[in-house]
Amino acid sequence: MRYSGRIFDGEHFHEKAEMEVNESTGEIEYVEETKNSDKDYDGLTFLPGLIDVHTHFFGTPTRSLMDWILTSDVLLTLRSYQDAQKLLNGGFTTIRTLGDKVSLDMGKAEKIGMIKSPRIISAGFSLAETGGDDDPKMFTPEVARELSYSYYCDGPWECRKAVRMNLRKGAEVIKAYASRSFVGGGLIKEEFTVEELSAIADEAHRAHIKATAHAYGKDAITNTIDANFDSVEHGLELTEDHVNKMVHKGMYYVPTLSVYKVKRTDVNHYRDAMIKTHLEKDIQLAYSSGVKIAAGTDYVGSDDEPHGQNYREAVYISEVVGPLDALKSITSVAADCVGRSDIGRLMRGKKADFIAVRGDPMQDVSLLRPENVVLVVKNGKVEKNTLNH
Ligand SMILES: [Zn+2]
């Protein structure tokens, strides 16, 4: 099957180009510029399937730890399945989930073609220290452990074992909490010692998968870098020293701007100031220093962080880095960040994961919004086509 139009191959724009897809292999045969100016291009732009490198399938309308841990797995799965369809409909052909109860099995179902869903690179359970933010302390430790989407582990060997438990279940990335969040309302405490974090990253790397860490605050980012993680998630309070080391180590920065754009009703001056700096300075510092920035929303599927609207991250990133680098952050750079060389670019031999949108997203990145995504193809198979409607 041949597609023609304006093509963004993940790195460059081709104003008039053709792409040949081999449906039997599900791969791209070639993308090449064409001189034929008589062709009707319909004003479409083809892009690699979008990738969100930081999501969760929490499957509840609310953003509440209690709901996340107490809702039955069946209901979580059904709601998350709806979210998966919304993501695919919005042009996301791959997502990475960083800690929840159901995405690992949903990923297995997607792999064998059972469900309509983006490809899911799942962390399985997240790793956290005992007593962290998401450890529900109104329960006894035993009950909390039973209900949680995290493995609570302390000491390098327990941490290694938690990684191995995830690997046993089929996790394809490891996620650790290198700090708490704003839940406590006060100063952010880092989680895990560097020794523990190093054990986690090393165990992931021994299995040839990536390790990534949630890091709020200077110290947590420093620990994440020193422990040789592959990326920093959130990364609030980024410093000059951090970015120099990150460039040197080839680490990725996932600023998750979308989650900080959500209006919160409670008052927390400390949080608000930290977020303001994050939105205005952290990403600017990362970008100007040459740190690779990947798009991840941290959306959980709640009413105020709805799956399907994940294109917003590219819009927010574009406000700092411009449209071209924002489009890379949600395609080719995202693929590099999750360690998948077979996706994220429209080139010979890559998986035929691509979308078409009306208009030119270089002029307006918000053209990636779901209503404007008219074609979604994953593995060479058409998942959405509203072109003739
Ligand atoms: Zn998250």
Side-chain angles (χ1 to χ4, degrees):
M1 182 81 181
R2 189 167 304 170
Y3 298 86
S4 41
R6 187 188 295 115
I7 295 182
F8 171 61
D9 65 15
E11 290 176 5
H12 307 102
F13 264 87
H14 307 282
E15 208 38 54
K16 283 173 183 167
E18 285 186 348
M19 172 169 60
E20 180 74 28
V21 170
N22 183 332
E23 263 118 71
S24 55
T25 62
E27 290 179 356
I28 294 166
E29 287 286 325
Y30 63 81
V31 172
E32 56 186 33
E33 299 203 5
T34 165
K35 300 277 177 291
N36 188 352
S37 55
D38 309 330
K39 275 226 178 261
D40 178 15
Y41 289 98
D42 278 343
L44 294 181
T45 303
F46 293 86
L47 306 99
L50 307 179
I51 302 170
D52 188 334
V53 308
H54 187 145
T55 63
H56 303 267
F57 276 154
F58 280 155
T60 69
T62 53
R63 204 186 143 71
S64 143
L65 175 63
M66 276 304 114
D67 286 349
W68 295 344
I69 63 172
L70 293 175
T71 305
S72 81
D73 286 2
V74 175
L75 196 52
L76 288 186
T77 308
L78 290 170
R79 286 188 183 138
S80 297
Y81 177 46
Q82 284 189 320
D83 284 340
Q85 289 173 302
K86 287 181 199 160
L87 276 153
L88 190 61
N89 193 54
F92 285 81
T93 49
T94 302
I95 59 164
R96 183 166 77 166
T97 57
L98 296 180
D100 60 56
K101 295 186 190 179
V102 299
S103 64
L104 205 53
D105 285 331
M106 285 177 58
K108 289 176 189 169
E110 185 279 334
K111 255 193 196 120
I112 56 170
M114 249 178 78
I115 58 167
K116 234 174 142 64
S117 161
R119 185 178 296 109
I120 301 172
I121 299 168
S122 175
F125 278 24
S126 31
L127 272 60
E129 67 176 30
T130 297
D133 267 359
D134 62 344
D135 181 350
K137 290 174 266 301
M138 62 288 290
F139 300 114
T140 63
E142 293 71 27
V143 172
R145 209 158 266 166
E146 197 57 43
L147 294 172
S148 183
Y149 51 85
S150 282
Y151 286 124
Y152 303 111
C153 44
D154 305 284
W157 289 106
E158 267 187 32
C159 290
R160 285 187 190 270
K161 182 153 188 186
V163 174
R164 290 173 192 174
M165 284 297 282
N166 270 321
L167 292 171
R168 180 180 186 275
K169 293 182 182 173
E172 294 177 306
V173 58
I174 296 298
K175 147 77 176 285
Y177 281 92
S179 76
R180 299 189 179 177
S181 305
F182 294 123
V183 178
L187 290 169
I188 307 288
K189 178 192 176 297
E190 71 260 35
E191 281 199 34
F192 289 130
T193 63
V194 177
E195 190 187 13
E196 289 168 320
L197 288 171
S198 300
I200 292 166
D202 180 57
E203 201 61 36
H205 293 156
R206 288 181 65 230
H208 307 293
I209 62 172
K210 304 276 183 198
T212 191
H214 160 119
Y216 277 44
K218 278 196 222 43
D219 296 340
I221 301 175
T222 303
N223 293 349
T224 301
I225 295 170
D226 290 349
N228 288 323
F229 274 71
D230 300 288
S231 47
V232 172
E233 307 290 327
H234 315 299
L236 292 88
E237 276 188 8
L238 196 68
T239 67
E240 202 85 40
D241 184 45
H242 291 144
V243 292
N244 292 337
K245 285 182 181 158
M246 287 176 75
V247 168
H248 180 69
K249 293 193 174 194
M251 290 175 74
Y252 291 80
Y253 187 57
V254 186
T256 65
L257 305 179
S258 303
V259 80
Y260 304 115
K261 293 275 188 176
V262 179
K263 294 265 174 293
R264 307 281 181 220
T265 48
D266 57 321
V267 178
N268 179 340
H269 297 298
Y270 178 75
R271 173 194 67 195
D272 296 346
M274 205 164 166
I275 286 178
K276 190 166 186 289
T277 308
H278 186 58
L279 295 175
E280 289 170 7
K281 297 201 183 126
D282 291 341
I283 179 171
Q284 183 66 55
L285 174 63
Y287 184 62
S288 61
S289 317
V291 175
K292 292 171 282 189
I293 296 169
T297 55
D298 197 20
Y299 276 5
V300 297
S302 58
D303 289 343
D304 58 355
E305 296 174 12
H307 282 312
Q309 301 297 322
N310 312 55
Y311 77 97
R312 290 174 185 163
E313 186 68 16
V315 175
Y316 300 140
I317 290 176
S318 76
E319 288 165 6
V320 178
V321 312
L324 181 62
D325 284 321
L327 293 172
K328 288 182 187 173
S329 78
I330 200 165
T331 55
S332 54
V333 177
D336 297 341
C337 174
V338 302
R340 289 287 297 251
S341 59
D342 56 341
I343 58 173
R345 288 177 176 82
L346 302 181
M347 290 170 190
R348 183 178 172 76
K350 306 283 184 198
K351 283 191 189 302
D353 282 10
F354 62 93
I355 64 171
V357 300
R358 290 196 194 281
D360 181 0
M362 274 295 277
Q363 305 302 321
D364 177 5
V365 178
S366 74
L367 291 175
L368 299 182
R369 60 186 177 270
E371 332 59 281
N372 198 50
V373 175
V374 292
L375 181 71
V376 179
V377 177
K378 190 185 74 176
N379 286 324
K381 185 171 162 274
V382 176
E383 300 281 0
K384 174 186 184 180
N385 185 353
T386 58
L387 265 176
N388 303 316
H389 291 199

